[in-house]
Structures are given as structure tokens and as C-alpha cells.
């Protein structure tokens, strides 16, 4: 190799490396959502997107300002939303779960209260079921419009197993305890539980607290009243739950079972378990994975009533719906309002019903017969319509910051890691704002 | 680290070599110019050093990702040292790391030495054995989660061994599964290191030992093992750093459960950052992990004399 002056080479190599690094770090366009004549709508990416696409196409036909649909697939939605919502990439309108999932954004002054929209078009409130609409009210102001289907939590059962053991879907707590005893003696796990996911376990707390202590307890707890956790109602609910766990209702290995990998629904479908408490999506999940079972032996009922409890037997818990919320800094509030009006249109209701979702508009009822499974749609709709209280899932009602501590405590209570007092202490330690 | 372009082994103290490259003269020995390291240095600076500095800064602030970060001094650090879950997570990290090293090292030394031999079918068996190395940790975790399902996996068919199959519901069995899965996945990598090292042990040493009448066991313990010393250190440092930063297996297999019984520091950091949006505390945990890993690595390097870079070549 001949010797040359080395300086240029250092400069060249170094310069080259620098340009490469810089070009790499400057990725991502800066197509800021709030600029231009477009409305960016951010949605959780899944099968329902096809309905959202149809609606956007309908809207764009007659509007000068075009809507662009952006999707974030998978469970990272909330984390990714949090990272962009206060940046240039923020959308104009975004999907959320209401309640605690938007409270931090409201507190940070990022969201537009929809009261002005509603004043101009009362339909934006009146066309939705009140129990659903209310779960998006933060500090007395409405911040969202329902935009998908409702997901109440129901008791699913394997009717074949029940029949074989001379049982029916339990209407009362005592009937449930009796069913547990009978099934256990026959070697069937009474209730399938995906404890590995933790949130299916939480559903049991939600119903027990509603039935025993009444829906007000959790509502005031979420508002910041930590003392309610130590009341008698709360202790009664926890003791009732403990009674069920100790009776062997869930078997012994529920913490190793998951819903998300198909474990607990398969237990139900194969008859190894008789019941599962799950959100209404259980139906479509089983239609996909166990079509024969879903057609013939899958049955469902409301959660049993509990004697002497404060909550009505018609109360329900679950995810009331998903919602569209609007950012304060959107440049096209009028067009956004127009777009939101599509959420109670007949086209929207038909499209959602056809893919198995159950919209929560007042005009849904008339079209229930067009649903993918009409009986199931009717059952759910009546349940939601007649519910005096529809308690939002605790992990959605509480702010995001409480999620991990909440589900950890729930799991520990079920596996005996903490007792009633321990659970109460954990709940009192949850952040509420 | 001196490099040599010739076949003549170079000792570590500036020996004049043939085939000098142009480079900055330094006590007569030539070294490649810094320009060669520039691209790597720029990348390393941008993607490792700069973020690390930012994380250190963030660890003294509270930030939820929405509003601007607020400096709160040592608050995060004080909170961390009072947080029982944090203390527990550090112990769990160290325990998992220690168990990983204790299980994988003997296993991979034995396999590596065996794979360095000349038995029949050795090449085929080795090739099959290295397959886990090719899979991503996430895929491996999903696979084992399915295999270990209590109702539909192996435990359902081997009740005498697994009981009710509640592997993910007890701390001890959950940790056992984590160790098993990471051993299953990473032993091949360390085996590869030992295989290479065992192959480079000079044959003459064994021949001499045989003449002296040493059997296979004595050969292994008195020649092979001492000659593998540097590889043991290399492999252990890899295991320790890997063990302390284990994340994907916990994320997919246990989610830190049951309760917080397998919440190791790296997973706790993830929870704090992306589940509860407490980036300040998460950054403090990150900095703590960096410090712990650095200290452990330094101690290991010191204790083993690895930093002296003694050559183990014959006749050196």
C-alpha cells in the first residue's frame, strides 16, 4: 500500500459515517396532522377497521376536508398514543376506551370538550344509550362519542356439560355455589379462568363488588375516596369471592392458563370446564376457534344475583364501548363534528352489526335482526339497555398509572398471596388522578 | 489489542512487525488510524452514548410523556430505594443471572468439548443442536408457553411429574421455567464459544499427557479446563450481561407474575415506562441496571485477570 496524505481519508470516512447516521435518525415524515386540509383519525388496528374505512369513504365523498384513517395494530396502542398525542404527529380524532384512558389527556388540557358540538346537534348525545355515553364524561364534561360496539361481561357456559350434570345456568349466587360443588365432584373444573392474563380475574371482582356493595363504591373510589375500600360492603364482596375460590371453583392452575392464547375458551369448548366469565367477544372468539361448539353448545346468561347485596341483578360491568375523542388543536372542528355524526347513522349500525359488533345507538334496536347472530345481539342489547348501571372495567376506569398495581393485587388475592386486608391496602394505594 | 497480518504470533509488548501499515507511529509500533473506528464510533455515540446521557438526565425528573419533564432532583431515586418491588426485582435479576450461569456454564463446557472432538455423527448432531440459537427469544417463549400449558400441553400428560401443571402460578416453578427456557436457547451459543476454544488447544499437550499416562479425565481437568479459562470469562460476562437484561422471556412467559414474583428489574423498568407512564422512575431503574452490570463485569474481569490479556499460546 502506498503512503498518501491521510487527512482526506479521515474526513471522508468520518463524514460518510456522520451522513449515514444522520439520515438514519431523521426518519419519519413530518406530515403534521394538524396542518393541511386533512383530518387524521387514529384507530386501534383490528378487524373492525373495515367498517371505519367504509365510513371514511362515505364522509370523503361529500367533504372538502378529507379524513385520513391511521391505524396502530396490537396491544401497543395506548403506549404509542401517549408518545405522539402531545407532538406534531398528533391526530385530530382518536380511538380510546373512555374513563381513565383519557383522563391524563384531559388533565393536560389536550382534549376538546364536546359540549359545543352537542349544543349544536343534540343528536350527538341523545342518539346513544346514556349508560354508555356517561363513561366518557370526565369532570362533568363529555369528551367522546361512542364509535364501535359494546362489550358487556357475561357468564358463558357449556350447555352440554350443564345438562349432563342436571344443572341450569345459575340465576343466584347459591345456585352457582351448588353448581360448583356438583361439577367439582364430577372432576370438571367448574369455571375456566385465564388467570395468566390477570384481566379475566379482575372481571370477578367487578361483578362481586357491584352485586354486593353496589356500583357506587367503585365510582367513588375512582373519584379518589380511598376509604370506601375498607367498608363492610367491600369486605363482604371480598369474602364472598374468597368463598368461591376456596370452594375450588377455578381449579388450582388458573394462573398458568390464559385467555389470549386460547387456553380458557378451549377448556370451556372441550367440556373440561363448565363456565367462563368473559367479555362479549368470547362469542366471536369461539366462533373462530371452535365453530361447532359455538353453534351447538355455547350458551350465555347474566351474572347471578346475590341475596342481600346492594347492587341490582340487572347491573352489568365491562367495556361500555370505544370512543372517538377530539384534540383541542384540530384546525377543522366543524368537519370533525360532521364526521362524528356518522357514528349514529344507519349505515354505521348496519356495518357494525354485520361483523358481530353491537353498537350502542338508540336506532340499533330496529336493526338487530340483521346482526351476525340475532339472538345473541338481542340478548346483549336488552341487557345493556335495561342496566341501571354499566360499570366500566376497573382497569379502564382508573387512570393508566394504576393498571399494573391493580392487576397484580387481583392476581395475588386469587392465589392467596394477599388476604382481604392486603387487597384493601393495595386498592387504597392506587393513584386516582 | 494488537493485530498481526503475518503468521508470526505477536507478543503483547510492542514487537516490531513486518508489513507495516501506514498509521500513527507510536513507540515504533504501528497502529491503525482512528479513521477506521470513526463510523462505528459515530454510531455508538448516537445510538448508545447520547440516549444513555438522556436517560441519566431523565432519572432526576418526572415525566409522563405528555407534559414537559419537571426536575425533581433525587425524588425518583429515593422512591426506588423505598420500593419493596424494586429491591425484590434486583434480587430476582441477580438470582436469575446466577442460576443461568450456574446451569449453563458446566453444560456448555461439556457439550463444547464434546463437539470439538472427532466422533461419528458429531457434525450432524451439533448442527441439530444449534437450532435453538437461530430462533428469536420471543418465538421460543411462545413455543414453550404452549408446550407447558397445564391442560393441553405436556403437564396434562405427565401428572406424576407436574402435578396440577400450575408452573406459572408459583414463584419457584415460574423461575424454573424461565431458567429452563433461557438455558435451552442460549446454551448452544456458549457451546459454540467452548467448541472453538477447545479446538485451539494444542494437540501436543494431549500427546505429552498421554505419554505421561494421563487418562481422559485428568486430561480434561488438567489441560482442557485451564486452557479454556479465557473463554469461560468471555462466556460468563456474556451470560451475566444477558441475564441482567433478560426481558423478552419474562414478558411472554410470566408477565412478571404470579403477583410480582418474577418481576425482574428490566421488566419492572418496562412496566414503569410503558404501562404506568412514569418515565422518570423507569430511567432511574435503567441507570441502576447499567451501574450493576458495569460493576459486576469489572469485578469479573479483575478477579479473573482477564484484563492482563495473558497469551495461552504454546511457548509464550
Amino acid at each position: 500500500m502506498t503512503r498518501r496524505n491521510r487527512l482526506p481519508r479521515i474526513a471522508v470516512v468520518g463524514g460518510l459515517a456522520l451522513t449515514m447516521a444522520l439520515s438514519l435518525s431523521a426518519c419519519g415524515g413530518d406530515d403534521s396532522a394538524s396542518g393541511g386540509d386533512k383530518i387524521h383519525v387514529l384507530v386501534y388496528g383490528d378487524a373492525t377497521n373495515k367498517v371505519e374505512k367504509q365510513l371514511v369513504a362515505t364522509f370523503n365523498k361529500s367533504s372538502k376536508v378529507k379524513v385520513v384513517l391511521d391505524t396502530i395494530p396490537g396491544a401497543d396502542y395506548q403506549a404509542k398514543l401517549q408518545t405522539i398525542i402531545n407532538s406534531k404527529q398528533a391526530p385530530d380524532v382518536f380511538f380510546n376506551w373512555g374513563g381513565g384512558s383519557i383522563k391524563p389527556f384531559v388533565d393536560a388540557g389536550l382534549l376538546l370538550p364536546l359540549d359545543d358540538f352537542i349544543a349544536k346537534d343534540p343528536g350527538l348525545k341523545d342518539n346513544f344509550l346514556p349508560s354508555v355515553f356517561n363513561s366518557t364524561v370526565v369532570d362533568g364534561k363529555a369528551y367522546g362519542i361512542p364509535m364501535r360496539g359494546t362489550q358487556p361481561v357475561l357468564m358463558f357456559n357449556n350447555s352440554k356439560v350443564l345438562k349432563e350434570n342436571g344443572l341450569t345456568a345459575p340465576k343466584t349466587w347459591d345456585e352457582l355455589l351448588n353448581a360448583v360443588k356438583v361439577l367439582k365432584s364430577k372432576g370438571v373444573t367448574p369455571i375456566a379462568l385465564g388467570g395468566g392474563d390477570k384481566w379475566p380475574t379482575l372481571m370477578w371482582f367487578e361483578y362481586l363488588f357491584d352485586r354486593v356493595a353496589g356500583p357506587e363504591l367503585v365510582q367513588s373510589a375512582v373519584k379518589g375516596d380511598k376509604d370506601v375500600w375498607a367498608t363492610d360492603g367491600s369486605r363482604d364482596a371480598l369474602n364472598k369471592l374468597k368463598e368461591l375460590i376456596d370452594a375450588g371453583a377455578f381449579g388450582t392452575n388458573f394462573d398458568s392458563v390464559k385467555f389470549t392464547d386460547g387456553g380458557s375458551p378451549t377448556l370451556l369448548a372441550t367440556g373440561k370446564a363448565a363456565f367462563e366469565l368473559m367479555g362479549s367477544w368470547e362469542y366471536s372468539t369461539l366462533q373462530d376457534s371452535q365453530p361447532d361448539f359455538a353453534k351447538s353448545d355455547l350458551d350465555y346468561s347474566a351474572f347471578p344475583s346475590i341475596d342481600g347485596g346492594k347492587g341490582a341483578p340487572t347491573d352489568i360491568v365491562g367495556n361500555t364501548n370505544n370512543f372517538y375523542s377530539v384534540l383541542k388543536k384540530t384546525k377543522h372542528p366543524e368537519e370533525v363534528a360532521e364526521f362524528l355524526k356518522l357514528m349514529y347513522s344507519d349505515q354505521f349500525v348496519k356495518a357494525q352489526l354485520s361483523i358481530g359488533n353491537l353498537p350502542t345507538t338508540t336506532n340499533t334496536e330496529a336493526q338487530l335482526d340483521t346482526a351476525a347472530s340475532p339472538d345473541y345481539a338481542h340478548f346483549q342489547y336488552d341487557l345493556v339497555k335495561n342496566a341501571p348501571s354499566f360499570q366500566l372495567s376497573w382497569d379502564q376506569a382508573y387512570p393508566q398509572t394504576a393498571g399494573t398495581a391493580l392487576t397484580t393485587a387481583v392476581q395475588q388475592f386469587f392465589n392467596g398471596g394477599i388476604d382481604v386486608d392486603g387487597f384493601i391496602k393495595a386498592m387504597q394505594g392506587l393513584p386516582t388522578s | 489489542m494488537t493485530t498481526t497480518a503475518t503468521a508470526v504470533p505477536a507478543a503483547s509488548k510492542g514487537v516490531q512487525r513486518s508489513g507495516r501499515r501506514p498509521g500513527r507511529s507510536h513507540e515504533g509500533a504501528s497502529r491503525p488510524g482512528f479513521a477506521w473506528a470513526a463510523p462505528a464510533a459515530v454510531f455508538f455515540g448516537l445510538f448508545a452514548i447520547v440516549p444513555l446521557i438522556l436517560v441519566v438526565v431523565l432519572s432526576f425528573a418526572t415525566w409522563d410523556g405528555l407534559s414537559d419533564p419537571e426536575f425533581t432532583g433525587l425524588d425518583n431515586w429515593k422512591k426506588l430505594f423505598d420500593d419493596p418491588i424494586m429491591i425484590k426485582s434486583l434480587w430476582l435479576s441477580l438470582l436469575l443471572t446466577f442460576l443461568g450461569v450456574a446451569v449453563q456454564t458446566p453444560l456448555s463446557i461439556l457439550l463444547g468439548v464434546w463437539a470439538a472432538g472427532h466422533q461419528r455423527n458429531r457434525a450432524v448432531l451439533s448442527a441439530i443442536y444449534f437450532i435453538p440459537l437461530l430462533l428469536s427469544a420471543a418465538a421460543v417463549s411462545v413455543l414453550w408457553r404452549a408446550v407447558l400449558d397445564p391442560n393441553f400441553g405436556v403437564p396434562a400428560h405427565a401428572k406424576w411429574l407436574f402435578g396440577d401443571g400450575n408452573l406459572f402460578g408459583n414463584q419457584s416453578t415460574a423461575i424454573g421455567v424461565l431458567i429452563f427456557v433461557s438455558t435451552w436457547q442460549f446454551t448452544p451459543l456458549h457451546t459454540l464459544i467452548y467448541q472453538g476454544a477447545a479446538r485451539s488447544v494444542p494437540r501436543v499437550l494431549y500427546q505429552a499427557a498421554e505419554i505421561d499416562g494421563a487418562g481422559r479425565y485428568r486430561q480434561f481437568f488438567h489441560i482442557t479446563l485451564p486452557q479454556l479459562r479465557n473463554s469461560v470469562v468471555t462466556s460468563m460476562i456474556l451470560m451475566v450481561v444477558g441475564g441482567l437484561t433478560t426481558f423478552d422471556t419474562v414478558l411472554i412467559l410470566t408477565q412478571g407474575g404470579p403477583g410480582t414474583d418474577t418481576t425482574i428489574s428490566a421488566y419492572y423498568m418496562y412496566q414503569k415506562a410503558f404501562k404506568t407512564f412514569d418515565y422518570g422512575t423507569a430511567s432511574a431503574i435503567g441507570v441502576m441496571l447499567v451501574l450493576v452490570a458495569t460493576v459486576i463485569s469489572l469485578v469479573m474481569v479483575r478477579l479473573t485477570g482477564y484484563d492482563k490479556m495473558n497469551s495461552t499460546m504454546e511457548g509464550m
Side-chain angles (χ1 to χ4, degrees), chain B residues 5 22 25 46 92 98 101 103 113-114 126 146 158 197 204 241 249 288 302:
Chain B
S25 279
L46 268 177
L92 279 169
F98 171 78
V101 172
V103 172
V113 171
W114 172 82
S126 299
V204 277
V241 174
T249 46
M288 208 183 272
R302 269 293 137 86

Side-chain angles (χ1 to χ4, degrees), chain A residues 371-411:
Chain A
S373 36
D375 288 351
Y376 186 56
H378 274 285
F379 172 78
Q380 273 190 85
Y381 188 83
D382 292 343
L383 204 65
V384 174
K385 198 178 125 194
N386 301 326
S389 151
F390 192 156
Q391 169 60 49
L392 188 58
S393 302
W394 292 3
D395 53 350
Q396 302 294 357
Y398 266 98
Q400 298 284 322
T401 44
T404 308
L406 173 64
T407 49
T408 300
V410 158
Q411 187 177 38

Side-chain angles (χ1 to χ4, degrees), chain A residues 117-189:
Chain A
F117 287 5
I118 294 165
K120 277 186 198 145
D121 174 20
L124 274 175
K125 183 177 180 181
D126 300 344
N127 284 322
F128 298 101
L129 300 177
S131 64
V132 174
F133 193 87
N134 288 342
S135 56
T136 178
V137 173
V138 180
D139 306 332
K141 290 197 174 87
Y143 282 98
I145 300 294
M147 46 73 69
R148 274 193 180 183
T150 184
Q151 301 129 27
V153 173
L154 314 167
M155 265 298 243
F156 290 88
N157 66 56
N158 184 326
S159 58
K160 194 163 151 229
V161 173
L162 292 190
K163 221 176 284 154
E164 281 166 3
N165 294 293
L167 298 163
T168 52
K171 289 196 172 53
T172 64
W173 187 250
D174 294 335
E175 280 178 34
L176 179 66
L177 286 178
N178 175 53
V180 166
K181 208 163 63 195
V182 171
L183 291 161
K184 209 180 150 210
S185 67
K186 292 277 169 64
V188 177
T189 306

Side-chain angles (χ1 to χ4, degrees), chain B residues 249-271:
Chain B
T249 46
V250 173
L251 174 75
I252 293 169
L253 286 168
T254 69
Q255 282 91 40
T260 54
D261 287 348
T262 56
T263 302
I264 55 171
S265 296
Y267 186 72
Y268 195 47
M269 174 175 81
Y270 162 83
Q271 276 189 332

Side-chain angles (χ1 to χ4, degrees), chain B residues 216-300:
Chain B
R216 281 177 66 182
Y217 292 99
R218 285 202 72 162
Q219 283 185 22
F220 176 77
F221 283 106
H222 289 91
I223 299 171
T224 315
L225 267 189
Q227 292 280 328
L228 288 180
R229 207 190 62 186
N230 284 347
S231 308
V232 172
V233 178
T234 306
S235 139
M236 271 194 181
I237 287 180
L238 281 178
M239 281 182 199
V240 167
V241 174
L244 287 175
T245 54
T246 300
F247 168 73
D248 30 22
T249 46
V250 173
L251 174 75
I252 293 169
L253 286 168
T254 69
Q255 282 91 40
T260 54
D261 287 348
T262 56
T263 302
I264 55 171
S265 296
Y267 186 72
Y268 195 47
M269 174 175 81
Y270 162 83
Q271 276 189 332
K272 283 280 180 211
F274 299 109
K275 292 276 181 252
T276 55
F277 301 112
D278 181 356
Y279 292 100
T281 309
S283 302
I285 301 173
V287 174
M288 208 183 272
L289 265 179
V290 170
L291 292 176
V292 170
T294 310
V295 168
I296 292 180
S297 299
L298 283 177
V299 167
M300 282 176 73

Side-chain angles (χ1 to χ4, degrees), chain B:
Chain B
M1 271 134 285
T2 52
T3 54
T4 168
T6 58
V8 181
S12 46
K13 291 268 159 58
V15 171
Q16 207 52 26
R17 277 167 294 151
S18 54
R20 277 192 59 180
R21 288 194 214 88
R24 204 152 289 173
S25 279
H26 178 70
E27 292 180 50
S30 69
R31 282 166 172 266
F34 178 74
W36 295 104
V42 169
F43 266 96
F44 188 70
L46 268 177
F47 295 108
I49 305 293
V50 173
L52 188 61
I53 292 168
L54 287 177
V55 163
V56 172
V57 171
L58 255 188
S59 74
F60 297 105
T62 57
W63 188 46
D64 59 1
L66 290 175
S67 41
D68 295 322
E70 274 176 53
F71 281 93
T72 50
L74 289 168
D75 273 12
N76 292 331
W77 291 91
K78 284 199 193 99
K79 261 194 308 191
L80 268 195
F81 285 111
D82 293 338
D83 181 357
I85 302 178
M86 176 67 215
I87 310 294
K88 186 171 151 185
S89 82
L90 266 180
W91 283 119
L92 279 169
S93 284
L94 292 172
L95 176 73
L96 275 179
T97 306
F98 171 78
L99 285 173
V101 172
V103 172
Q104 289 180 51
T105 301
L107 202 62
S108 45
I109 289 180
L110 290 174
L111 280 165
V113 171
W114 172 82
H118 301 281
Q119 312 84 336
R120 277 181 58 194
N121 300 334
R122 182 197 50 77
V124 177
L125 285 170
S126 299
I128 292 171
Y129 185 71
F130 289 132
I131 286 173
L133 199 53
L134 307 175
L135 305 172
S136 79
V140 167
S141 304
V142 171
L143 174 84
W144 281 106
R145 178 91 211 187
V147 170
L148 296 172
D149 185 283
N151 302 302
F152 305 102
V154 171
H157 302 286
K159 287 208 187 312
W160 53 271
L161 178 62
F162 293 99
D164 63 357
N166 195 16
L167 291 171
F168 299 99
N170 301 305
Q171 186 177 26
S172 50
T173 47
I175 288 175
V177 171
L178 288 172
I179 295 292
F180 172 79
V181 170
S182 58
T183 300
W184 186 83
Q185 181 169 24
F186 290 113
T187 302
L189 170 71
H190 300 286
T191 302
L192 212 52
I193 294 173
Y194 289 123
Q195 183 190 22
R199 286 224 172 131
S200 64
V201 177
R203 305 281 314 266
V204 277
L205 294 180
Y206 294 110
Q207 288 158 354
E210 245 163 68
I211 292 167
D212 289 343
R216 281 177 66 182
Y217 292 99
R218 285 202 72 162
Q219 283 185 22
F220 176 77
F221 283 106
H222 289 91
I223 299 171
T224 315
L225 267 189
Q227 292 280 328
L228 288 180
R229 207 190 62 186
N230 284 347
S231 308
V232 172
V233 178
T234 306
S235 139
M236 271 194 181
I237 287 180
L238 281 178
M239 281 182 199
V240 167
V241 174
L244 287 175
T245 54
T246 300
F247 168 73
D248 30 22
T249 46
V250 173
L251 174 75
I252 293 169
L253 286 168
T254 69
Q255 282 91 40
T260 54
D261 287 348
T262 56
T263 302
I264 55 171
S265 296
Y267 186 72
Y268 195 47
M269 174 175 81
Y270 162 83
Q271 276 189 332
K272 283 280 180 211
F274 299 109
K275 292 276 181 252
T276 55
F277 301 112
D278 181 356
Y279 292 100
T281 309
S283 302
I285 301 173
V287 174
M288 208 183 272
L289 265 179
V290 170
L291 292 176
V292 170
T294 310
V295 168
I296 292 180
S297 299
L298 283 177
V299 167
M300 282 176 73
V301 166
R302 269 293 137 86
L303 281 181
T304 51
Y306 192 66
D307 51 342
K308 309 256 189 323
M309 277 290 169
N310 289 334
S311 170
T312 52
M313 298 282 291
E314 289 171 83
M316 287 293 137

